[in-house]
Amino acid sequence: RDFREEVERATEKKELGDLELLAAEARGFEWEIEGMRLVGRAQFELKAFEGARVTWEAIRKQDELDVEANTMLGTIQQRLGDLTSSDQALKRVISLTNLDDDRRAEVRSLLGRNAKSRWSAEWRQAQSLPDRQRRALLSPFLDESLEAYSAALNEDLNHYYSGLSTLAMLTIQTKLAELMPDAWAERF
């Protein structure tokens, strides 16, 4: 209880250094993993992503296939700009067979988000609007994102984020195809 209260105090006061210290202090106790989870969640909530990465990686070191650690690291690594590590963490979760539909949908949608980030970065490099549109339409990341969001929706039809994201990516793809029918035809 004392540890939990210290985490709550540090979170309330946004004392990021204290949270890192608490994560280190939890090590060696029989409640080590749960203590670090408390700290990792608090760090994530406060957007202290570098500290959260260290905490969740320490948890994952104890169990390489820890669902919460890998899911959190999927988002944390994405926010830190490391999409490869994010994908790796999320694919660890997807490889598990005992996930419920909601968790599987969430992880697939996070993979879709990573593909969408790659897609966006790719077409933003172009200088002219027509070149941006062409790159956006022809990018394999557009298809990858759409497939991941659609797979997430198929996992759980109540997972609204993946449904909205599927619709958004399909709408973008359709509009781009209407604007650039020749580029669209090149795909086939």
Side-chain angles (χ1 to χ4, degrees):
R1 181 172 53 198
D2 290 342
F3 184 84
R4 182 181 305 275
E5 289 172 357
E6 283 297 318
V7 171
E8 289 171 3
R9 274 193 285 279
T11 303
E12 181 67 30
K13 293 179 180 179
K14 299 180 180 172
E15 295 174 338
L16 305 180
D18 287 359
L19 287 171
E20 289 179 19
L21 182 61
L22 287 164
E25 286 179 358
R27 295 188 182 174
F29 289 99
E30 64 182 56
W31 45 265
E32 169 182 3
I33 297 298
E34 190 53 39
M36 285 195 299
R37 284 183 199 283
L38 284 172
V39 173
R41 290 176 195 135
Q43 290 169 316
F44 183 83
E45 180 182 316
L46 294 173
K47 297 180 175 34
F49 296 123
E50 188 55 44
R53 181 190 61 77
V54 171
T55 302
W56 286 106
E57 283 180 352
I59 294 169
R60 186 173 65 189
K61 194 175 248 186
Q62 301 289 327
D63 178 5
E64 184 178 300
L65 297 176
D66 186 286
V67 173
E68 184 180 16
N70 281 300
T71 304
M72 293 294 277
L73 283 165
T75 296
I76 291 163
Q77 298 287 19
Q78 183 266 339
R79 301 268 167 86
L80 292 172
D82 185 354
L83 296 176
T84 301
S85 293
S86 174
D87 282 348
Q88 290 169 342
L90 296 169
K91 287 176 181 176
R92 283 186 189 100
V93 178
I94 284 295
S95 73
L96 301 173
T97 57
N98 61 341
L99 293 179
D100 61 34
D101 293 343
D102 183 57
R103 176 70 74 157
R104 191 172 291 282
E106 180 66 21
V107 172
R108 287 192 189 282
S109 70
L110 294 174
L111 286 165
R113 178 199 58 199
N114 287 354
K116 184 172 74 175
S117 293
R118 287 182 174 99
W119 170 74
S120 180
E122 186 177 69
W123 61 259
R124 286 180 194 268
Q125 294 175 5
Q127 299 300 315
S128 69
L129 180 61
D131 192 30
R132 282 183 172 204
Q133 292 170 335
R134 181 177 177 72
R135 280 188 184 193
L137 180 60
L138 297 178
S139 173
F141 298 121
L142 174 61
D143 293 332
E144 187 179 325
S145 176
L146 181 55
E147 288 170 16
Y149 284 134
S150 180
L153 184 60
N154 286 331
E155 293 284 356
D156 183 357
L157 295 175
N158 292 318
H159 194 260
Y160 69 91
Y161 173 77
S162 58
L164 291 173
S165 296
T166 300
L167 178 60
M169 296 310 286
L170 273 173
T171 301
I172 291 167
Q173 187 179 53
T174 301
K175 291 295 182 185
L176 287 170
E178 288 172 1
L179 289 169
M180 308 197 84
D182 293 338
W184 178 251
E186 285 177 28
R187 295 171 42 112
F188 304 100

